[in-house]
Amino acid sequence: MHKVIKARTGAARLNLAELWEFRELIYFLAWRDILVRYKQTVIGVLWALVRPFVTIVVFTIVFGRFARVPSGSIPYPVLALAGLIAWQLFSTAFSESSSSVVGNSQLVSKVYFPRLIMPLSAIVSSLADFVVTLAMLAMLMLWYRVPVSPTVAWLPLFLLLCLIIALGSGIWFAALYVRYRDIRHLIPFIVQLGLYISPVGFPSSIVPERWRFLYSLNPMAGVIDGFRWSLFGGRNPIYMPGLALSIVLSIAILISGAYYFRNTERLFADII
Amino acid sequence: MSTLLVSARSLGKKYKLGAASLGTLSLRDRLTDAVRSLRRKRSEAEDFWALRDVSFDLHDAEVIGVIGRNGAGKSTLLKIISQITEPTEGEAHLFGRIASLLEVGVGFHPELSGRENVFLNGAILGMSRAEIRRKFDEIVAFAEVERFVDTPVKRYSSGMYVRLAFAVAAHLEPDVLIVDEVLAVGDIAFQRKCLGKMEDIRAKGRAVLVVSHNMSLISQLCETVIWLDGGRIVKSGPTREVIAAYMAEGLGGSAEWIPEAPLGDAFEYHRVWIDSDSGDAGTVAADSAFDVVFDFTVKRAMPPGRLALMIASAEGTPIMASASTDHLPAIREPWKLGRQRMRCTIPGHLLVPGRYFVTTSEQVELVEVLRERIFAFTITEQNSLTARDGRLGVIAPLLRWRAEEIS
């Protein structure tokens, strides 16, 4: 093994091989985050259920009853929860990975490991809550007797797309956060606003056709539509140009984010 | 045939001074800064070289010590070799697995149990899960926390915490171990254990790069020492030579003296130092007592000798002197043969905060040898509510005051 340490000139390589070498650390940091999240809490992991449950109750009353948002043949709470689990996965994964580097500043200034490990492990730890909310959706579907469509086989792909968006934007923000503490104020703002502009409380079919493509600039729109389509089948058709845009955008965000991160990470220890 | 593990060539690290570039900034600072720099060019004077032109080689089974005052660039050097920060110039070649221990217990989480932290910390330091599982019992036994492995570390005493953290690091098996002043913690017995562990590490053919202010530790562990000051190497070479030169400067961080070469055939000093429970090496809180300890070997039967010490202020004014014949009647008997220690306790609440020099003398076989200003130490302010810092004079004894009523 031979490694050269010197001032870097030019652009950084991604060095995925090294990331692979440290893969166990991704697991350990995620495991720590999950353990710590529910230590010394009374109801523990049930917290992962309380948040979506209360949100769905409020959505059902406000959007379902008062605003009479159409939900097609699917009962409104099921439709909303299907959107919410995707949104919540994104928002947790995105905010956790955005603050992962600054949150681990002690590690950054005292130990070497590929810095991308931090946002990656934040993504992994957010999957734990997702599993719990997915179980909750399954129960709700049983309750309302909504059959699972065979298209559910596609769900993992939309899950992957959701994680790619969260990771891509998360690593952009994580790198920016080290230098600009403004990011701390921006993260909750994006998460809050995103809940309303993404089709969580309503099906994206209510967006007028001519705005549909523009609306798909929010890559989470494609993910949430995809979640509903794979769970409930053809009754919630996918807007294909929107999905294509979503995929292209998320891959672009991930790749540009990874390079931005790698090119700024050499300064992390000095400025964190 | 020894193997080269680390080869550093002309390493340098430049930091930009000024609030705007050292710390983190908000976007607004950044924008106003950009506007300002349109008008005024950044001057060279804002650059600060924390490290400059540092080269060395580290081979297997070699321990190199890095010494120097605070701010000399020691930690910067370790951070560069550990790949935490990038050098501005020069380069280093690493051949082998490097593990660095710049802080004890890095990554420890207070809410997690001892067991959980061992796994987490081990992974952070670069151990695989299988490796940690294999060494787990050994780590816990080394740290002497068997009964508390499932207790959150936030309930640990600071001693237990440090022991556990060091135990994890001590069981790493890198080719090169980089250690920054971590042995300054823990009680004496544990420190000795750690020292033993470091010896083992070297015996197994691994290399160690260690920073310490503790000259006795450095001289016990290292063959080679690098003395840094102002980011540059002042002197490097065999431990004895470098430490002697460093001490001659008088002013090393560490209050101790180690002779350059064995002295005399009847009496040999190993070390003279300040032993205190308060503060780092070389500093003593004004309210604490401390000992001046003489560590020496008597090599042949001789009539009673005498050790003496004198403490002078930084300006050279003698403050006080004391001799081993003052108090120990036993000293009228011939000195015992073999290695021994003599301690002189100087009470707390005596010297005012400041820097002091120690001069010693030994009278052996009726010949007196004076050793002037062999080291310096600092009495620090107490920083407590009852502090009596800033008194006039050279001593500030705690005297008794009492109120007397007159009928």
Side-chain angles (χ1 to χ4, degrees), chain A residues 135-198:
Chain A
M136 183 177 160
L137 177 70
M139 309 269 262
L140 203 68
M141 284 171 76
L142 270 177
W143 176 265
Y144 282 100
R145 297 179 194 288
V146 178
V148 180
S149 150
T151 47
V152 77
W154 291 93
L155 189 64
L157 278 179
F158 291 104
L159 179 64
L160 185 68
L161 184 61
C162 180
L163 294 178
I164 288 175
I165 299 170
L167 181 63
S169 46
I171 55 184
W172 262 107
F173 273 60
L176 288 166
Y177 193 0
V178 173
R179 174 157 273 184
Y180 307 106
R181 296 295 152 102
D182 305 78
I183 299 297
R184 176 177 36 213
H185 306 287
L186 203 55
I187 296 167
F189 184 63
I190 289 176
V191 167
Q192 195 186 18
L193 214 62
L195 176 63
Y196 297 110
I197 59 174
S198 303

Side-chain angles (χ1 to χ4, degrees), chain B residues 237-361:
Chain B
T239 304
R240 241 177 217 284
E241 279 175 32
V242 180
I243 290 188
Y246 182 62
M247 296 323 286
E249 210 66 353
L251 322 166
S254 161
E256 68 173 352
W257 170 75
I258 291 163
E260 295 179 49
L263 309 154
D265 46 4
F267 174 92
E268 184 189 342
Y269 262 133
H270 299 290
R271 183 175 160 226
V272 179
W273 78 97
I274 295 237
D275 186 9
S276 99
D277 292 334
S278 68
D280 303 326
T283 66
V284 181
D287 57 350
S288 314
F290 60 95
D291 290 351
V292 178
V293 189
F294 299 80
D295 182 355
F296 57 94
T297 298
V298 175
K299 293 180 170 174
R300 64 172 178 242
M302 59 172 74
R306 184 181 72 174
L307 297 176
L309 68 92
M310 191 269 282
I311 293 177
S313 70
E315 297 77 23
T317 317
I319 309 290
M320 50 159 282
S322 186
S324 61
T325 46
D326 288 356
H327 266 301
L328 292 168
I331 213 72
R332 292 196 194 96
E333 295 166 17
W335 275 355
K336 287 193 210 86
L337 283 174
R339 186 154 176 178
Q340 51 204 287
R341 282 185 179 177
M342 188 96 78
R343 284 177 180 266
C344 170
T345 301
I346 294 169
H349 297 297
L350 180 65
L351 299 169
V352 296
R355 191 127 178 99
Y356 295 89
F357 285 86
V358 172
T359 294
T360 63
S361 71

Side-chain angles (χ1 to χ4, degrees), chain A:
Chain A
M1 194 181 118
H2 176 207
K3 211 167 207 171
V4 182
I5 299 175
K6 59 179 184 181
R8 192 157 67 198
T9 48
R13 291 178 314 121
L14 277 185
N15 203 352
L16 295 177
E18 195 191 35
L19 213 53
W20 179 248
E21 209 179 294
F22 279 84
R23 65 193 179 279
E24 279 198 348
L25 191 53
I26 300 180
Y27 156 79
F28 272 111
L29 291 179
W31 170 74
R32 172 197 69 181
D33 290 343
I34 295 167
L35 276 180
V36 169
R37 198 177 298 159
Y38 299 114
K39 278 257 163 148
Q40 245 189 35
T41 57
V42 179
I43 63 169
V45 83
L46 285 179
W47 276 113
L49 288 178
V50 171
R51 261 190 330 154
F53 182 78
V54 174
T55 312
I56 285 305
V57 170
V58 172
F59 269 33
T60 306
I61 295 170
V62 175
F63 291 117
R65 289 283 147 79
F66 301 162
R68 299 203 175 281
V69 168
S71 64
S73 54
I74 310 290
Y76 180 82
V78 177
L79 183 92
L81 187 59
L84 189 68
I85 62 169
W87 175 256
Q88 217 163 55
L89 172 63
F90 166 78
S91 66
T92 315
F94 162 72
S95 38
E96 297 276 319
S97 57
S98 295
S99 39
S100 63
V101 176
V102 170
N104 284 305
S105 57
Q106 195 213 10
L107 291 187
V108 174
S109 55
K110 297 289 179 191
V111 202
Y112 173 77
F113 53 87
R115 302 317 189 191
L116 277 169
I117 295 276
M118 290 176 280
L120 274 168
S121 81
I123 299 287
V124 172
S125 78
S126 59
L127 276 171
D129 282 7
F130 175 74
V131 171
V132 177
T133 52
L134 194 64
M136 183 177 160
L137 177 70
M139 309 269 262
L140 203 68
M141 284 171 76
L142 270 177
W143 176 265
Y144 282 100
R145 297 179 194 288
V146 178
V148 180
S149 150
T151 47
V152 77
W154 291 93
L155 189 64
L157 278 179
F158 291 104
L159 179 64
L160 185 68
L161 184 61
C162 180
L163 294 178
I164 288 175
I165 299 170
L167 181 63
S169 46
I171 55 184
W172 262 107
F173 273 60
L176 288 166
Y177 193 0
V178 173
R179 174 157 273 184
Y180 307 106
R181 296 295 152 102
D182 305 78
I183 299 297
R184 176 177 36 213
H185 306 287
L186 203 55
I187 296 167
F189 184 63
I190 289 176
V191 167
Q192 195 186 18
L193 214 62
L195 176 63
Y196 297 110
I197 59 174
S198 303
V200 177
F202 52 89
S204 57
S205 53
I206 67 169
V207 175
E209 201 58 38
R210 59 201 166 104
W211 297 112
R212 202 76 197 270
F213 191 74
L214 198 64
Y215 186 70
S216 304
L217 278 176
N218 168 10
M220 278 307 289
V223 170
I224 293 171
D225 284 354
F227 262 61
R228 288 190 176 132
W229 171 76
S230 46
L231 285 164
F232 312 129
R235 287 175 286 185
N236 290 271
I238 291 195
Y239 174 63
M240 285 316 280
L243 180 63
L245 183 64
S246 178
I247 292 171
V248 170
L249 271 178
S250 48
I251 290 173
I253 293 170
L254 180 64
I255 292 174
S256 62
Y259 277 99
Y260 179 74
F261 190 97
R262 286 283 295 156
N263 278 296
T264 50
E265 70 176 5
R266 64 208 178 99
L267 297 172
F268 285 178
D270 295 336
I271 61 178
I272 202 160

Side-chain angles (χ1 to χ4, degrees), chain B residues 353-373:
Chain B
R355 191 127 178 99
Y356 295 89
F357 285 86
V358 172
T359 294
T360 63
S361 71
E362 74 263 20
Q363 192 192 71
V364 176
E365 293 179 328
L366 302 174
V367 178
E368 179 142 31
V369 180
L370 187 68
R371 305 187 182 280
E372 287 195 65
R373 293 160 74 99

Side-chain angles (χ1 to χ4, degrees), chain B residues 120-394:
Chain B
L120 179 64
N121 188 236
I124 288 170
L125 294 176
M127 279 195 247
S128 72
R129 210 181 333 172
E131 195 180 348
I132 305 169
R133 203 169 286 145
R134 202 173 60 239
K135 293 180 181 162
F136 184 81
D137 291 336
E138 208 183 315
I139 291 174
V140 171
F142 186 88
E144 301 162 26
V145 295
E146 290 95 334
R147 283 170 52 214
F148 308 100
V149 276
D150 293 309
T151 309
V153 297
K154 66 179 176 183
R155 308 205 197 290
Y156 278 28
S157 71
S158 57
M160 286 158 66
Y161 184 93
V162 163
R163 288 207 302 274
L164 184 61
F166 187 84
V168 180
H171 289 80
L172 283 170
E173 286 179 358
D175 301 309
V176 181
L177 181 65
I178 297 178
V179 187
D180 191 358
E181 198 71 85
V182 285
L183 292 176
V185 291
D187 54 34
I188 302 289
F190 189 69
Q191 279 191 20
R192 202 164 296 139
K193 207 164 159 184
C194 297
L195 211 61
K197 196 76 197 177
M198 305 258 282
E199 296 280 3
D200 287 354
I201 291 173
R202 179 187 29 198
K204 284 182 188 155
R206 309 207 155 86
V208 182
L209 187 63
V210 55
V211 159
S212 183
H213 285 110
N214 184 339
M215 292 303 135
S216 71
L217 176 110
I218 294 279
S219 46
Q220 268 176 277
L221 272 177
C222 316
E223 306 91 70
T224 311
V225 169
I226 298 170
W227 168 16
L228 289 179
D229 197 40
R232 288 172 186 271
I233 295 183
V234 180
K235 190 175 170 69
S236 68
T239 304
R240 241 177 217 284
E241 279 175 32
V242 180
I243 290 188
Y246 182 62
M247 296 323 286
E249 210 66 353
L251 322 166
S254 161
E256 68 173 352
W257 170 75
I258 291 163
E260 295 179 49
L263 309 154
D265 46 4
F267 174 92
E268 184 189 342
Y269 262 133
H270 299 290
R271 183 175 160 226
V272 179
W273 78 97
I274 295 237
D275 186 9
S276 99
D277 292 334
S278 68
D280 303 326
T283 66
V284 181
D287 57 350
S288 314
F290 60 95
D291 290 351
V292 178
V293 189
F294 299 80
D295 182 355
F296 57 94
T297 298
V298 175
K299 293 180 170 174
R300 64 172 178 242
M302 59 172 74
R306 184 181 72 174
L307 297 176
L309 68 92
M310 191 269 282
I311 293 177
S313 70
E315 297 77 23
T317 317
I319 309 290
M320 50 159 282
S322 186
S324 61
T325 46
D326 288 356
H327 266 301
L328 292 168
I331 213 72
R332 292 196 194 96
E333 295 166 17
W335 275 355
K336 287 193 210 86
L337 283 174
R339 186 154 176 178
Q340 51 204 287
R341 282 185 179 177
M342 188 96 78
R343 284 177 180 266
C344 170
T345 301
I346 294 169
H349 297 297
L350 180 65
L351 299 169
V352 296
R355 191 127 178 99
Y356 295 89
F357 285 86
V358 172
T359 294
T360 63
S361 71
E362 74 263 20
Q363 192 192 71
V364 176
E365 293 179 328
L366 302 174
V367 178
E368 179 142 31
V369 180
L370 187 68
R371 305 187 182 280
E372 287 195 65
R373 293 160 74 99
I374 54 172
F375 60 76
F377 66 94
T378 303
I379 298 283
T380 57
E381 299 179 348
Q382 298 160 60
N383 295 321
S384 70
L385 284 176
T386 55
R388 302 176 306 125
D389 305 325
R391 288 291 161 85
L392 284 176
V394 288

